[in-house]
Structures are given as C-alpha cells and as structure tokens.
Amino acid sequence: MMSALRFPYYRQMNGYSCGAEVLRMGIKAITGQSIPRSNAEAVLNCWPNGTYMTTLQRTFRQYGAKAGRMFRPTKRQVMKALGRGQYVVIDDGKTYDVDHVIILPGALTKSLVWVADPMIGLPAIRTYRRVIRSSTMAFSVAA
C-alpha cells in the first residue's frame, strides 16, 4: 500500500466524473498504470449521470486490481480493510447534493482517515464518523 501522502490525487473536471478519477487514482496507486482521463470516463460510461458502484468495482478488476465484495461500511470494516493494506472505495451520498465516489488511501489515527476526494483533488482528513455516516456502500481494492 502506498503512503497516503504519496497517493496520486486527481481532481474531477466536471460534475459526473468522480468515479473515473477514483479509478485513475486507485489503479495508479495499485499497479503504477496511468489511465488517461478520457479512457476512464469512456470505460465507465460515466457521463452525464455518474458511475454505478458495481461498474466501478468490475472495472477495477479489469485493470488488474482485486476488488472485494460490496458492503455497507462500518468503522470496523473500513479500519480492518485499511489495516490489511487495502484502499476503500466509498459511495458518499451526503457530503454533496448528489452521490459522489471517494477513495480512502489510509488511516491516520483511530478516529481520523485520509480521504482522496476527486471534488477537491487534494489529500483531506475526515473523521471515520463523518465518512461512515455519509456513505451508502463501499468495496475494498488491493493489488
């Protein structure tokens, strides 16, 4: 697992490409492979209504990552996945006014987690409580 500070952070260029940017960040961190933005958007068919989490999960697998099963996130599950060196992809349904996909590159403390949010394109720190309360579903990804 790459250090959260060395994790590649990409910013989405429109209101519907968060899934494409999460795919690009995750694959770059896991495999070192760079995916052009236009390719990620096309393979996920993400415009104009975003990306389905199941499509994103399947696409991670197509690019060589091990994507786990979908789950309703709890702090315990997220901490366990991060502790195993996995990244966690989360459908954040409450932070913005539409569903939004983020990826968690690592834990900072027992109450804080690193967040790669393509809406801002920079490392962010949030509490587990905030992340879990705003999430609807998640899956883990690893090499």
Side-chain angles (χ1 to χ4, degrees), residues 91-109:
D91 184 5
D92 177 343
K94 296 181 183 169
T95 298
Y96 302 101
D97 57 350
V98 295
D99 280 343
H100 180 63
V101 183
I102 61 175
I103 187 168
L104 308 180
L108 187 61
T109 68

Side-chain angles (χ1 to χ4, degrees), residues 4-5 7-12 21 25 96 100 102-103 105 113-126:
L5 291 177
F7 189 84
Y9 293 90
Y10 300 140
R11 188 171 195 283
Q12 65 190 77
E21 298 308 326
M25 288 186 273
Y96 302 101
H100 180 63
I102 61 175
I103 187 168
V113 65
W114 287 106
V115 175
D117 182 345
M119 187 69 79
I120 58 175
L122 297 168
I125 299 171
R126 294 188 188 152

Side-chain angles (χ1 to χ4, degrees), residues 5-26:
L5 291 177
R6 293 186 47 152
F7 189 84
Y9 293 90
Y10 300 140
R11 188 171 195 283
Q12 65 190 77
M13 294 292 119
N14 53 52
Y16 52 77
S17 63
C18 55
E21 298 308 326
V22 163
L23 176 68
R24 293 179 67 228
M25 288 186 273

Side-chain angles (χ1 to χ4, degrees), residues 60-121:
F60 264 101
R61 291 176 182 148
Q62 290 171 348
Y63 277 96
K66 293 179 183 170
R69 66 173 178 77
M70 206 69 68
F71 63 91
R72 173 79 171 105
T74 65
K75 180 180 177 182
R76 183 173 176 265
Q77 288 173 308
V78 171
M79 287 180 77
K80 188 175 177 181
L82 294 173
R84 289 191 303 251
Q86 300 171 334
Y87 302 115
V88 180
V89 176
I90 291 186
D91 184 5
D92 177 343
K94 296 181 183 169
T95 298
Y96 302 101
D97 57 350
V98 295
D99 280 343
H100 180 63
V101 183
I102 61 175
I103 187 168
L104 308 180
L108 187 61
T109 68
K110 289 186 177 183
S111 60
L112 298 174
V113 65
W114 287 106
V115 175
D117 182 345
M119 187 69 79
I120 58 175

